[in-house]
Amino acid sequence: MNTEYLFPAMTVGVCYYPEHWDKSLWEEDLRRMLDSGITVVRIAEFAWSLFERTEGVFTLDYFDPFLDLCEKMGMKVIFGTPTATPPAWLTEKYPETLNCDITGVKYRHGMRRHYNYNSPVYWEKCEIIIGKIARHYGNHPAIIGWQIDNELNCETDEFYSEADSAAFRMWLKERYGTLDKLNDAWGTVFWSQTYTDWAQIFVPRPAPHAAYNPHLHLDYLRFVSRSCLDFCAMQAKILRAHISPDAFITTNGMFGHMDNHAMTRNSLDLYTYDSYPNFAFGLDVKDIEHNLLRDRWSGMKLTEVRSICPHFGIMEQQSGAGSWTSRMDNPMPRPGQMTLWALQSVAHGADFVSFFRWRTCTFGTEIYWHGILGYDNRDNRRMGELRDFAAKMKKLAPVCGADYAADVALVRDYDNIYDSELDNWHRRVTRQSEDALFEASQLHHTPMDMLYLQPYTSLEDLKKYKALFMPHASIMTGEKAGLLESYVRQGGVLIVGCRSGYKDEHGRCVMEPQPGLLKKLTATDVMEYTLASPAEEEPYAIWNGRRMPMPVFNDVLTPLKGAQVLARFGSSYYAGEPALTEHHVGEGRVLHLGGALSREAAAMILEHLGLLEPFAPVVSAPQEVELALREKDAEKVLFALNYQNKAMTITLHQAAQSLFDGRTMQGDVVLAPYEVQVFRL
Amino acid sequence: MNTEYLFPAMTVGVCYYPEHWDKSLWEEDLRRMLDSGITVVRIAEFAWSLFERTEGVFTLDYFDPFLDLCEKMGMKVIFGTPTATPPAWLTEKYPETLNCDITGVKYRHGMRRHYNYNSPVYWEKCEIIIGKIARHYGNHPAIIGWQIDNELNCETDEFYSEADSAAFRMWLKERYGTLDKLNDAWGTVFWSQTYTDWAQIFVPRPAPHAAYNPHLHLDYLRFVSRSCLDFCAMQAKILRAHISPDAFITTNGMFGHMDNHAMTRNSLDLYTYDSYPNFAFGLDVKDIEHNLLRDRWSGMKLTEVRSICPHFGIMEQQSGAGSWTSRMDNPMPRPGQMTLWALQSVAHGADFVSFFRWRTCTFGTEIYWHGILGYDNRDNRRMGELRDFAAKMKKLAPVCGADYAADVALVRDYDNIYDSELDNWHRRVTRQSEDALFEASQLHHTPMDMLYLQPYTSLEDLKKYKALFMPHASIMTGEKAGLLESYVRQGGVLIVGCRSGYKDEHGRCVMEPQPGLLKKLTATDVMEYTLASPAEEEPYAIWNGRRMPMPVFNDVLTPLKGAQVLARFGSSYYAGEPALTEHHVGEGRVLHLGGALSREAAAMILEHLGLLEPFAPVVSAPQEVELALREKDAEKVLFALNYQNKAMTITLHQAAQSLFDGRTMQGDVVLAPYEVQVFRL
Amino acid sequence: MNTEYLFPAMTVGVCYYPEHWDKSLWEEDLRRMLDSGITVVRIAEFAWSLFERTEGVFTLDYFDPFLDLCEKMGMKVIFGTPTATPPAWLTEKYPETLNCDITGVKYRHGMRRHYNYNSPVYWEKCEIIIGKIARHYGNHPAIIGWQIDNELNCETDEFYSEADSAAFRMWLKERYGTLDKLNDAWGTVFWSQTYTDWAQIFVPRPAPHAAYNPHLHLDYLRFVSRSCLDFCAMQAKILRAHISPDAFITTNGMFGHMDNHAMTRNSLDLYTYDSYPNFAFGLDVKDIEHNLLRDRWSGMKLTEVRSICPHFGIMEQQSGAGSWTSRMDNPMPRPGQMTLWALQSVAHGADFVSFFRWRTCTFGTEIYWHGILGYDNRDNRRMGELRDFAAKMKKLAPVCGADYAADVALVRDYDNIYDSELDNWHRRVTRQSEDALFEASQLHHTPMDMLYLQPYTSLEDLKKYKALFMPHASIMTGEKAGLLESYVRQGGVLIVGCRSGYKDEHGRCVMEPQPGLLKKLTATDVMEYTLASPAEEEPYAIWNGRRMPMPVFNDVLTPLKGAQVLARFGSSYYAGEPALTEHHVGEGRVLHLGGALSREAAAMILEHLGLLEPFAPVVSAPQEVELALREKDAEKVLFALNYQNKAMTITLHQAAQSLFDGRTMQGDVVLAPYEVQVFRL
């Protein structure tokens, strides 16, 4: 594996559940799909009960007639493994296969994803059913790809079953070898937590407060990720042994407590995502402060998806109101939004967009999770949008396989992501800075990527970018620091914030001045630091006479030899002290911000680096419009997306041809509400 | 049974607990009660421990001397069965009798209502104790009636014990016969939920989210109701076998997850309610937006009670501050409020009002649930109000057995009530519309009833009303649609709202255009619908130039042949589209509102129908005053209730005689703060 | 025991964990401590795993080299028993030693204080380890004192294990002898709760609502206290048998559900407290309405500590930001605050101040609970404050052993504290009045003490004060009423509020007019009372034309013979009725306030009594500055503490010498931000 699958053409798909409908509807459904431009359907990912109604009694042929129909009519199929929903008989007979909450209350049959990854019985049952399915369907000519499970780590990404504790112990034995090493790594001398027998170790358990040993918790999250990846790898291995070599293997969604990058690299040919931007308009969303960014926050997720797989697919693209009967309340997408959001996915790198779902289910928990068609099966407004979108996808042929263009990247790694989950201080600064950077990126039309530092990340991966923001890498290793130094020495710009470099790989604090291993790069020292108290005004700094908010947390910087002070604090007892420094290292430079990024700070730093508004020579656009560029060879395609329910005007400073209608435009171009225009530059 | 019990005269009672007091107080207490106008006491409903201190050892004679004293002094008694509070020995020895939370944590001895209805042991123990009590006390001449248990389904109306799962399976077997039928009804093909053995079925259990199969949940609530009704019927049967044929059987309170109508019809002679309007002024009530309606919301409950039993009783009428030591914080009723609320009950149909309680308990959880008397046993202000009220009740003799008069009714059925509990969309529109209709009814002096569509509901039941609002009957059956059609054809007006008719009896969506089975009546089609997003302004429609709010959810209506458009949306992307239509059917008509009712919409529709402010020819009153009419034969008695802490003026347009002071009045009449006037028209 | 330990000099200490650091750091750490003025270190209180790594295998010599080093260098040591953190092997092998939540979910190894006090196994294991430690270290010359456990009842003060129920039964048998007496005391006839076997009795267990029998709950809290005190006494007894007779025994912290007074009297030589005023500036503190009092609220706790032990110690004084990784978010103390808060402790009576902790831990849950030094071990700003504070402590020698001076005390007793926990009404009025009194005391520079009525409290204890506020003694006994009467007769002033005297020792309401046993003292009767409804404006009274808020609850007073009306209600239906009365009894008088204290009412009453602003002849100070006086023999030392981040001016009306710089001052004296001045008067 480890080869990136590329779609041969811009492709439109849909999720379909043959088993939910009378068989008499199948042919007409396929005909209507094909007529509207759909060429791929995903099926079967919740169908275990159909395949194995009782233990060991297999009825594998249910989908045969449907697949034959697809083959006959020219529809391609992505086939799912059914492990997200074990049958009732399985979990009743083997309750050890169930996940539970931290108090040990088991999640019972009746929803989905109630199993744990570490039950030997569940592995065995999964191996059997996947093997059966792979052998039965693996070479059907209609099938172009396979989806493993459904939304791994969705519903919950925490696992507390006995099987998890047992597997956690095994994983720790491999990792540490001896209890002495584990005790040292976890600092168990604190609060008399020393372990003297492996059997004393468990996944997190109830305590008077949820104040777990943070080093144990960090390892626990690594272990959860590993469990999930192993489960995925097991499935991929079985599939690969039986399915057509041309078929790709993927999974869908993007959830927490798992290394999606390693999973994709190790087990998948393609990563696909489920995109539901309409949550931003739902009843359960109260706190979106900036109306300009509601559904544009999905771009943050798409940016993360792109870091996993540059030319990804969307396995589930929202086509209607989203809601379970008991949870989540999205309105119906307004006219144009379904197309807008699908093109948002394409602008960010998707070459395959599959809508969820063909027809709204008439029973079960998801009767309000609308498909394109309603219960009544009639042609409707959203069918019209589907046809329009499919026609546009054909015109987007030049985009297929093209890269999203960005000079700036947000740098992350899983150690810091996991560490920041239990650690309030780490989490607060991280959320603040990452959100602020994305906001600045969107509002100032400055495309941004994400870059995950993985063991296999190379200097070439970093050198794709002119500047890297790694705001709060509390955990820093020599290996990563070395990679960053090489990047800077060869001309890169690195921006780090407060709370950097003070932890080792176990999340223990290093007995050195901050920013620890980054000190050589930043040429700074941190003697004072503090959370911003709610009893004070929000801290700020002054940079060239301009006020720059410094929210959440402040490191007061002491510049060492070679560092220049760019900005100084303007508030609190450290007013006048350095707040932002710059240090030239080799051909590049390192900026150290003594705080978390505000939106203003992110924009001011990008401006200082000459990286703000890179499209300015070509096009001017208001904040309400997102600009994105995909390029391949000499071909450059510019997307302009209007997220507002009103017309917006952009100004082309050079002639450009619309891919959709072929017209060449220059000067002011009006985008209708929710309209997207795509120009060949 | 099934005969409605009628009180021979307007009756005043009180709840009394002889076992809470030194026996030396009994005679004086009864004397003071009789002197103040009380003629009935309710006793014994929490006294199991007194009757059966340890298993099988019965001491049934505790209340004999008290009852003899009552007989001697002329006090009548309602006697309760003690099943709400099993003794400690019972639940300790038989923990399977306990109810539990959804995670299986049992509710232990120490409060009340901690048992489940389905434990065979509990049934057996209840049958024994009720039989013993009924035989011992059943023919005591002081006893006029029996109360079954206390507040069935109070404290909790959810049941998760093992006995409940076992009984649920039995009930489902009876209902569906085969698992195939059950799987089909519940749509278990969704998420691989198919059941292959009855033993796999449970009442709802923990899951990653409380997103249960909605069809299972609907049946679960029906089952909870059935369990409660069976338990009540068991008690009624035993009582009826032993007690005096003249004594009535009742129960008190009105709680959720039970078909109070069927229970009353099947097992009771009389339904009584516990009325505590003072919650509206308590510390735990934050969100009563409209001060005019605080304690008038109790009228909504009384309206529901009236639909169960037109001439009901109040078993517990608030007489003081209400609070447990640890929960619920009502202030003391202000001078006049105790009488006001008692007359609110009478105005709505009560012929019997029994106050809770005689003297405030000096120990236990309810030391702050005040009776008329305080701990100090002295005559007090509220004793004065009791005497005043009792005197008024004598003057209200013409009201006894008279009906509450209303031309308009809100239509409900239990299927839709249960369905709307788990279903967020259904619940939101239902709450909005029902509240808005009641608000409009109160503020515009337009009396309203409720009408429950039950299997035994007849066309005559419907024809009592000129107009029926059935705002959001998501579940619609052919039988009910037929009944509604007959009603309309014979001249009735039916008003339905959005989200009507799209579900079948299992709560599955029908594959038809909405409003499904109601389409023929409404002559409308719904192609577009949406929740109102918090990102948009509140939707509205325009009707004859007036703005009509259309909150929560909108159906965009397409009028079919015969339907007229009355109002059109004024907002969102469907501005200009029909929002309210009218369709003449036979002698009647059907209005279809593409939304949930706002208070304004309810009033505008009533005005359109000529049903708003029916008392206008007789009396004008400000919004702060409730008007109610009870009528029997030619007798019409008008109640005017001032809920405000300030004087209010009503204007009689014709002469009317006050029942309280005999004066004939006309023109302006000033109601003192909290004053109620009652006129013979 | 029972002798109050007095520090021979003002002493500065620090908490230190030798086991957290490489041994090579020990000597340098001790040197730096001594150089900065620290003379005492506390160690070893979480070190069980070091002493007994597996069951019965003891390695007691770990701290020997450290103690020898201390002896050599002249550092004194307080040594802790390690029972707050049992080793993993212990709780895994003996899960019955664990505490659990009310549903029975056990608190597992991994945090601290997860044990219960009543497990026989845990007692045995504790007795063994304490005996071993006491024998090994008990006579080391460096050790001056011993700390029992760590923060008893911290993390949780509720206990629900099986061992607790078993011990509760035993305790109840001793207390009541027979079940009949228990049933009577608990009013179990209510709701059929009668117990017929001791085995039916448990600590509180899950119920449909947390509405436990309040009398059981009152006894439960007494029992929790007794369990904790017995556990502490067991440790003290073992220690005393082995340690040096010169060494003191103490414990630290001050937590709920325990009689700290009796514990100190019975088992300790000294009480020490852990003072963390910086919570007042943390992210989790939203609702500090009055910025003037943020960190001054710690003074309320110090006042309580002083009532336990007049010359107490601070075992943990905040020196840095406080936070666990997952909870609690304090900023770093601003320059000056560390010293300010340490002097706040001294002003309130501490002669020993030990900072938490020397160096910030680099691993475990408390990496953000900062010590004086950071992870990098460099000298820093807070080290400078430490040296400054230590120097000041030397100059405060005249204060050593001096008493805090107050003419006014808040009277409490544990019965009412425990009763007010479950009882909403009792709790609400108590919190309101106690907070208001403290606020008035602080803002009007009127020093206040607390006085707990204990079985051993004498009339002399009361006579130290000119006035006693006992705002809401719902529970009143003849003994306490008698003591209060003697106090008043001999010239004292007693102020009581609403809800006084209506409960007996079991928390049952007495069948008498309120205020029950206090009626003779107040010469008042209460016929009407009510919670203040949120539907009304806040109640108030008028006193000499001034408006006095009467929040939360009102008793309408009827003055009896001898009582004068001072103020009358100005609002609600009892406007014009008496709200505050005064009754002369012997040489003294009793004020009865028909409500909870507002800050204004507290100040007006103090003013009426001539007790407001007692320092006015000597010094004037703004509300922002706290004044405190410590006196011994003829020596009077005045503290002026500026809690603001800005300069404040006080005015000395007589010459006074600064203890810090020796200057004699008069007239205006400017206090810098956070500055404390101390004057010899």
Short mmCIF file of all heavy atoms in Angstrom, two decimals, chain B residues 437-455:
data_model
loop_
_atom_site.label_atom_id
_atom_site.label_comp_id
_atom_site.label_asym_id
_atom_site.label_seq_id
_atom_site.Cartn_x
_atom_site.Cartn_y
_atom_site.Cartn_z
N LEU B 437 -51.04 28.09 21.91
CA LEU B 437 -52.50 28.02 21.88
C LEU B 437 -53.07 28.31 23.26
O LEU B 437 -54.04 29.08 23.40
CB LEU B 437 -52.95 26.64 21.38
CG LEU B 437 -54.46 26.45 21.25
CD1 LEU B 437 -55.05 27.43 20.23
CD2 LEU B 437 -54.79 25.01 20.83
N PHE B 438 -52.46 27.75 24.28
CA PHE B 438 -52.95 28.01 25.63
C PHE B 438 -52.78 29.48 26.01
O PHE B 438 -53.66 30.09 26.60
CB PHE B 438 -52.23 27.12 26.65
CG PHE B 438 -52.68 27.36 28.06
CD1 PHE B 438 -53.92 26.90 28.50
CD2 PHE B 438 -51.90 28.08 28.96
CE1 PHE B 438 -54.36 27.15 29.79
CE2 PHE B 438 -52.33 28.34 30.25
CZ PHE B 438 -53.56 27.86 30.67
N GLU B 439 -51.66 30.05 25.63
CA GLU B 439 -51.42 31.47 25.93
C GLU B 439 -52.48 32.35 25.25
O GLU B 439 -53.04 33.25 25.87
CB GLU B 439 -50.03 31.88 25.45
CG GLU B 439 -48.90 31.30 26.27
CD GLU B 439 -47.54 31.39 25.58
OE1 GLU B 439 -47.46 32.05 24.53
OE2 GLU B 439 -46.59 30.78 26.09
N ALA B 440 -52.73 32.06 23.98
CA ALA B 440 -53.74 32.83 23.26
C ALA B 440 -55.10 32.64 23.91
O ALA B 440 -55.88 33.60 24.07
CB ALA B 440 -53.78 32.41 21.80
N SER B 441 -55.40 31.41 24.30
CA SER B 441 -56.67 31.10 24.94
C SER B 441 -56.84 31.90 26.24
O SER B 441 -57.89 32.50 26.50
CB SER B 441 -56.74 29.59 25.21
OG SER B 441 -57.58 29.28 26.29
N GLN B 442 -55.80 31.94 27.04
CA GLN B 442 -55.88 32.65 28.31
C GLN B 442 -55.95 34.17 28.11
O GLN B 442 -56.79 34.84 28.71
CB GLN B 442 -54.63 32.33 29.15
CG GLN B 442 -54.69 30.99 29.85
CD GLN B 442 -55.66 30.98 31.02
OE1 GLN B 442 -55.67 31.91 31.83
NE2 GLN B 442 -56.49 29.98 31.11
N LEU B 443 -55.08 34.69 27.27
CA LEU B 443 -54.96 36.15 27.17
C LEU B 443 -56.15 36.74 26.41
O LEU B 443 -56.46 37.92 26.58
CB LEU B 443 -53.64 36.53 26.51
CG LEU B 443 -52.40 36.07 27.30
CD1 LEU B 443 -51.12 36.41 26.54
CD2 LEU B 443 -52.37 36.71 28.69
N HIS B 444 -56.80 35.92 25.61
CA HIS B 444 -57.95 36.39 24.83
C HIS B 444 -59.27 35.82 25.34
O HIS B 444 -60.26 35.84 24.61
CB HIS B 444 -57.75 36.06 23.35
CG HIS B 444 -56.63 36.81 22.72
ND1 HIS B 444 -56.71 38.12 22.35
CD2 HIS B 444 -55.36 36.43 22.43
CE1 HIS B 444 -55.56 38.52 21.84
NE2 HIS B 444 -54.71 37.51 21.88
N HIS B 445 -59.27 35.28 26.55
CA HIS B 445 -60.51 34.81 27.17
C HIS B 445 -61.31 33.90 26.26
O HIS B 445 -62.51 34.09 26.08
CB HIS B 445 -61.37 36.02 27.58
CG HIS B 445 -60.59 37.06 28.30
ND1 HIS B 445 -60.24 38.25 27.73
CD2 HIS B 445 -60.05 37.08 29.54
CE1 HIS B 445 -59.53 38.98 28.59
NE2 HIS B 445 -59.39 38.29 29.70
N THR B 446 -60.60 32.94 25.68
CA THR B 446 -61.24 32.00 24.77
C THR B 446 -61.10 30.59 25.35
O THR B 446 -60.07 29.95 25.15
CB THR B 446 -60.58 32.09 23.37
OG1 THR B 446 -60.62 33.45 22.94
CG2 THR B 446 -61.31 31.21 22.38
N PRO B 447 -62.09 30.13 26.08
CA PRO B 447 -61.94 28.83 26.75
C PRO B 447 -61.57 27.72 25.78
O PRO B 447 -62.02 27.70 24.62
CB PRO B 447 -63.32 28.59 27.37
CG PRO B 447 -63.87 29.94 27.57
CD PRO B 447 -63.38 30.76 26.39
N MET B 448 -60.76 26.84 26.27
CA MET B 448 -60.21 25.77 25.44
C MET B 448 -60.26 24.47 26.22
O MET B 448 -60.07 24.44 27.42
CB MET B 448 -58.77 26.17 25.11
CG MET B 448 -57.80 25.06 24.87
SD MET B 448 -56.10 25.75 24.72
CE MET B 448 -55.19 24.31 25.31
N ASP B 449 -60.56 23.40 25.54
CA ASP B 449 -60.50 22.07 26.12
C ASP B 449 -59.36 21.28 25.47
O ASP B 449 -58.74 21.75 24.53
CB ASP B 449 -61.82 21.31 25.85
CG ASP B 449 -62.85 21.50 26.96
OD1 ASP B 449 -62.50 22.11 27.99
OD2 ASP B 449 -64.00 21.07 26.76
N MET B 450 -59.13 20.11 26.00
CA MET B 450 -58.29 19.15 25.29
C MET B 450 -59.16 17.96 24.95
O MET B 450 -60.12 17.64 25.66
CB MET B 450 -57.14 18.66 26.17
CG MET B 450 -56.03 19.65 26.28
SD MET B 450 -54.64 18.92 27.16
CE MET B 450 -53.87 20.42 27.77
N LEU B 451 -58.81 17.33 23.85
CA LEU B 451 -59.53 16.14 23.40
C LEU B 451 -58.49 15.11 22.99
O LEU B 451 -57.67 15.38 22.12
CB LEU B 451 -60.43 16.50 22.21
CG LEU B 451 -61.14 15.33 21.53
CD1 LEU B 451 -62.16 14.70 22.46
CD2 LEU B 451 -61.83 15.82 20.25
N TYR B 452 -58.51 13.98 23.67
CA TYR B 452 -57.56 12.91 23.32
C TYR B 452 -58.24 11.94 22.37
O TYR B 452 -59.31 11.42 22.69
CB TYR B 452 -57.10 12.18 24.58
CG TYR B 452 -55.95 12.87 25.29
CD1 TYR B 452 -56.12 14.11 25.91
CD2 TYR B 452 -54.69 12.29 25.33
CE1 TYR B 452 -55.07 14.74 26.55
CE2 TYR B 452 -53.63 12.91 25.98
CZ TYR B 452 -53.82 14.14 26.58
OH TYR B 452 -52.78 14.76 27.21
N LEU B 453 -57.61 11.69 21.24
CA LEU B 453 -58.14 10.68 20.32
C LEU B 453 -57.74 9.30 20.85
O LEU B 453 -56.58 8.94 20.85
CB LEU B 453 -57.58 10.88 18.91
CG LEU B 453 -57.98 12.17 18.20
CD1 LEU B 453 -57.52 12.14 16.74
CD2 LEU B 453 -59.49 12.41 18.27
N GLN B 454 -58.73 8.59 21.34
CA GLN B 454 -58.53 7.25 21.88
C GLN B 454 -59.29 6.26 20.99
O GLN B 454 -60.13 6.67 20.18
CB GLN B 454 -59.09 7.18 23.32
CG GLN B 454 -58.38 8.11 24.29
CD GLN B 454 -57.08 7.51 24.82
OE1 GLN B 454 -56.04 7.58 24.18
NE2 GLN B 454 -57.13 6.92 25.99
N PRO B 455 -59.01 4.99 21.13
CA PRO B 455 -59.72 4.02 20.28
C PRO B 455 -61.24 4.13 20.43
O PRO B 455 -61.98 3.83 19.50
CB PRO B 455 -59.23 2.67 20.80
CG PRO B 455 -57.90 2.95 21.40
CD PRO B 455 -57.99 4.34 21.97
#
